[in-house]
Amino acid sequence: MARTTGRNRHLALVVVSVVALSGVITGSLAKATEYARAAPVSSAEEPGAVPRDPAAPGELTPEPAATPTASATPDDGPVDASITHATEAGGRSVSITVDDGPDPVWTPKVLALLKKYDVKAVFCMIGPEAEARPDLVRKVVADGHRLCDHSVDHNTAMDKRSESYQEQQVMDARRMIEKAAGAGTPIRYYRAPGGAFTPYSRELAARHGMRPLGWSVDTRDWERPGVDHIVKAIEQGLADGPIVLVHDGGGDRGETVAALEQAIPWLKEHGYTFSFPKV
């Protein structure tokens, strides 16, 4: 009995010692972990290293993927800041550019006519008009046409205004058009109202992937000079270059639609093809 009791006492002392030692180790680890969490990041760590999750020491937490905002259009990269007056196809090709819309009456008529003759065009849109009619903007894109930023207020004297004003006109319109078209839709051109470009506005647009877009044939259809006048302006004006300017916004465009109905078949009969302006 005495030996058994001694052994039990010895065993009890061993157990107590192990428990005590375990407590010391646990306490030391806790203090070490606390110190590690409070300590500043070592300058030896690589920049951009994945941070550790304080709730799970020793485990790496992957960085969350970036979520693009709905209003962010990915730029295709800088383009030439000079004003383009050429087509992508070159040769005997023509670019139809349509300004000041989208308009609920005239834009669908222009789209139907272009579809009838299998012609693609560039639609230079006013920011608030695009914002008010996203269905039309998306129809333009769905039909295979390209979009162009034509400013917020169509101020033909914006070249006399400050750079901050020009930036607001160009970039706000771009955001409005892109939002209406759907995130990621490219806005490939910028056309200054009335041709009121400045070196600053051209560089700004080009930096965001929008080629400054000029014109060669000004039909002046916005003055409603008559269908025959508009048709003749197109037929005779191509000697000066291939970029044709017409309108689908800003008023009654019945003459424009009727003139295109005559001019497009005439162009095809005379060996012209249709191309987008050179970016």
Side-chain angles (χ1 to χ4, degrees):
M1 292 295 292
R3 290 182 179 179
T4 303
T5 301
R7 287 177 181 176
N8 289 343
R9 287 177 181 174
H10 180 73
L11 181 60
L13 288 173
V14 171
V15 171
V16 170
S17 299
V18 170
V19 171
L21 180 59
S22 176
V24 171
I25 293 172
T26 302
S28 298
L29 287 174
K31 288 183 179 181
T33 301
E34 182 179 358
Y35 176 80
R37 291 177 182 173
V41 177
S42 170
S43 60
E45 289 188 17
E46 296 182 7
V50 179
R52 295 181 183 273
D53 182 356
E59 294 181 3
L60 295 180
T61 302
E63 293 181 336
T67 302
T69 59
S71 61
T73 304
D75 294 332
D76 293 330
V79 297
D80 194 327
S82 65
I83 300 172
T84 186
H85 292 92
T87 63
E88 288 183 343
R92 201 170 171 80
S93 61
V94 176
S95 290
I96 303 294
T97 62
V98 189
D99 284 19
D100 295 359
D103 181 271
V105 174
W106 301 109
T107 301
K109 294 181 183 296
V110 172
L111 285 172
L113 189 148
L114 293 174
K115 188 171 186 179
K116 175 181 176 180
Y117 292 107
D118 192 26
V119 172
K120 305 304 180 187
V122 174
F123 284 76
C124 301
M125 297 184 174
I126 305 296
E129 300 297 330
E131 187 174 51
R133 302 176 183 92
D135 56 331
L136 281 179
V137 179
R138 296 185 184 195
K139 173 64 174 170
V140 168
V141 174
D143 281 3
H145 306 292
R146 289 185 182 177
L147 300 179
C148 171
D149 178 337
H150 199 33
S151 84
V152 173
D153 296 320
H154 201 274
N155 182 355
T156 58
M158 65 180 288
D159 56 332
K160 305 298 192 297
R161 302 290 296 273
S162 67
E163 290 184 352
S164 61
Y165 174 83
Q166 294 175 50
E167 181 174 2
Q168 176 264 325
Q169 288 288 306
V170 175
M171 297 309 295
D172 282 3
R174 182 178 185 269
R175 283 187 284 271
M176 292 175 185
I177 297 167
E178 190 273 339
K179 183 178 179 181
T185 303
I187 316 297
R188 297 189 182 276
Y189 309 94
Y190 165 66
R191 172 174 277 167
F197 289 101
T198 66
Y200 175 79
S201 67
R202 289 191 292 105
E203 291 290 344
L204 174 68
R207 193 163 65 246
H208 290 276
M210 299 184 293
R211 181 75 186 267
L213 176 59
W215 61 82
S216 312
V217 181
D218 185 356
T219 63
R220 301 189 71 84
D221 60 328
W222 56 273
E223 293 181 331
R224 287 188 285 178
V227 173
D228 290 343
H229 177 93
I230 298 170
V231 172
K232 186 176 293 186
I234 295 172
E235 294 175 356
Q236 297 179 353
L238 290 173
D240 297 325
I243 312 296
V244 177
L245 168 61
V246 294
H247 295 77
D248 64 339
D252 186 334
R253 296 293 167 247
E255 291 183 0
T256 301
V257 173
L260 288 174
E261 183 70 69
Q262 294 183 36
I264 291 176
W266 182 91
L267 289 168
K268 290 192 170 188
E269 290 168 4
H270 286 76
Y272 289 94
T273 59
F274 295 87
S275 173
F276 291 119
K278 188 175 182 179
V279 174

